[in-house]
Amino acid sequence: MGLAKDMPGGELKSKFLGCLVGMAIGDALGAKREGRGMSRSEDIVSLADKLEQLIYTDDTHMTIGVAESLIESNGFDGEHMAQTFVKNYKAEPWRGYGPGPPRIFGMIKGGEAWYSAADRLYSGGSFGNGSAMRVSPVGLLYSRNPERLREIAYRSSSITHSHELGKEGAALQACAVALALNTPWDEDIDREDFLSALQDFARNQLYREKVSRIRELLGEQDKARVVALLGNGIEAPRSVPTAIYCFLRQPQSYRDTVIYAISLGGDTDTIAAMAGAISGAYLGIEAIPSEWRAKLENREYIEALAEKLTSSIDNVNTG
Ligand code: F2R
Ligand code: MG
Ligand code: MG
């Protein structure tokens, strides 16, 4: 797999756009099925056709916060990112946030440091998927340097999700976005190489085992078995590997990736957001159905952030 720095500028920009818009559409479409059981692909397609607007949830709202902060700070600044989350939540608290983050935002507003507030929730911090669902801008921006990507994914996670499984889930999702970005769109994804790279990257045994399960399930027709082995839940280890699997089942189709992710039921907005981010980072914006793009709420702003992130990649990697 090549590096994004060897890529023509037009392709790089399209992939950044594809990643953020692809994430937001997966979130908005998946939100209509969040918390429900499995569904048929045909029903998801007709749901998408019927919706007049694709309205996103906390997954996209927090991804916007990550992107805004990385752009404004010219890289990662924990205090700035935490304050951006607090400000954005105050403006739109109705986006369907998970239980933990609003409590942490309250602590930070009350003077708790950004790097310690999350340790006060749950036992050992949160391992919810809330930091993995928002990490795609980190995967894009730090795609040229896996160790830096890991460090920034961990630190951005620790604002709200400081459990090892939460941080590692965010890093694995960011790594998948980077691998997808770094694969030229005219080159097939080598699924074995992709999984080996993730397996080498993962530091936690549970995630290594899940990556092995992805390999075993690639030809699986039974969705119940996929859910039983990979999960479709709100916890990072029960959703990040599932999203990667959804992408690797059908790497040439953004549409099929997102529809399959939603069809598994459970935390559908988040699994479709993460799968959509990986797929969009590989295939680029043009691979996302234009009728879905046209319906996405706040699309111009999300695209503007993606363009600014593309322009920041050289600064962040030389700075
Ligand atoms: N909140 C939701 N969906 C609920 C309904 C939304 C509704 N449609 C609406 O409009 O209001 N979705 C969003 O939340 C998920 C991300 O959650 P996040 O940010 O990770 O939250 P939290 O609280 O940190 O963790 C989630 C749960 O995981 C369990 N958990 C985490 N750490 C734990 C630990 N150390 N020990 C035990 N359990 C732990 C807890 O049950 C947490 O509540 C996304 O789906 C997003 O879309
Ligand atoms: Mg959500
Ligand atoms: Mg969700």
Side-chain angles (χ1 to χ4, degrees):
M1 286 179 205
L3 284 178
K5 67 181 164 204
D6 305 324
M7 203 166 267
E11 180 172 351
L12 189 67
K13 183 171 140 190
S14 171
K15 282 167 157 271
F16 272 60
L17 285 163
C19 179
L20 292 203
V21 171
M23 175 279 308
I25 290 175
D27 170 27
L29 196 49
K32 294 289 167 191
R33 304 282 317 164
E34 189 184 20
R36 301 207 208 163
M38 287 185 219
S39 46
R40 298 184 317 157
S41 301
E42 309 86 86
D43 294 339
I44 301 163
V45 173
S46 59
L47 171 68
D49 290 345
K50 275 189 213 131
L51 290 169
E52 283 182 16
Q53 200 183 17
L54 288 170
I55 299 177
Y56 58 76
T57 76
D58 58 328
D59 306 53
T60 303
H61 199 218
M62 292 206 81
T63 305
I64 287 173
V66 171
E68 288 172 339
S69 180
L70 291 172
I71 292 163
E72 287 167 29
S73 309
N74 208 11
F76 179 76
D77 176 330
E79 175 64 21
H80 187 279
M81 192 173 282
Q83 293 300 339
T84 306
F85 290 159
V86 169
K87 182 182 74 179
N88 288 357
Y89 176 72
K90 188 171 179 224
E92 297 180 356
W94 44 266
R95 290 276 181 194
Y97 276 70
R103 292 171 60 196
I104 290 167
F105 303 152
M107 287 186 225
I108 291 173
K109 271 172 81 174
E112 182 83 34
W114 69 268
Y115 47 81
S116 59
D119 292 339
R120 289 158 149 281
L121 274 196
Y122 307 116
S123 173
S126 175
F127 50 68
N129 54 20
S131 62
M133 74 189 186
R134 66 179 188 232
V135 82
S136 49
V138 173
L140 294 173
L141 210 52
Y142 294 93
S143 52
R144 295 174 182 171
N145 184 337
E147 284 317 310
R148 191 105 174 94
L149 175 146
R150 182 198 306 283
E151 179 203 334
I152 305 301
Y154 282 0
R155 292 175 74 198
S156 69
S157 176
S158 67
I159 300 171
T160 50
H161 294 70
S162 58
H163 195 287
E164 181 196 350
L165 292 173
K167 293 196 290 187
E168 188 70 14
L172 201 66
Q173 168 67 12
C175 181
V177 165
L179 290 169
L181 176 77
N182 289 341
T183 308
W185 55 24
D186 60 359
E187 207 176 276
D188 285 341
I189 291 279
D190 184 321
R191 299 193 293 186
E192 192 45 51
D193 280 359
F194 200 97
L195 288 169
S196 297
L198 289 174
Q199 196 117 38
D200 291 346
F201 180 82
R203 285 196 174 156
N204 174 279
Q205 186 55 22
L206 177 58
Y207 284 103
R208 286 210 196 100
E209 282 165 18
K210 290 275 186 164
V211 173
S212 297
R213 291 267 183 259
I214 295 177
R215 191 177 281 115
E216 286 163 32
L217 287 166
L218 282 174
E220 182 60 62
Q221 295 304 310
D222 181 3
K223 287 181 193 168
R225 188 151 181 268
V226 171
V227 170
L229 294 180
L230 295 180
N232 63 357
I234 198 170
E235 305 87 356
R238 296 186 64 242
S239 52
V240 173
T242 317
I244 295 168
Y245 171 76
C246 293
F247 165 65
L248 287 177
R249 264 186 83 95
Q250 47 260 312
Q252 292 302 336
S253 171
Y254 170 85
R255 185 178 175 278
D256 292 351
T257 294
V258 163
I259 287 175
Y260 182 82
I262 298 170
S263 78
L264 293 177
D267 196 356
T268 46
D269 63 332
T270 302
I271 296 172
M274 295 190 289
I278 305 168
S279 179
Y282 170 48
L283 296 169
I285 188 77
E286 295 81 5
I288 301 175
S290 54
E291 65 278 17
W292 290 5
R293 275 188 266 155
K295 291 184 195 181
L296 176 63
E297 175 197 15
N298 217 2
R299 177 175 51 89
E300 286 177 9
Y301 183 64
I302 294 168
E303 288 179 349
L305 289 174
E307 291 191 19
K308 284 183 191 160
L309 277 175
T310 319
S311 310
S312 308
I313 192 169
D314 288 322
N315 297 342
V316 163
N317 285 283
T318 51

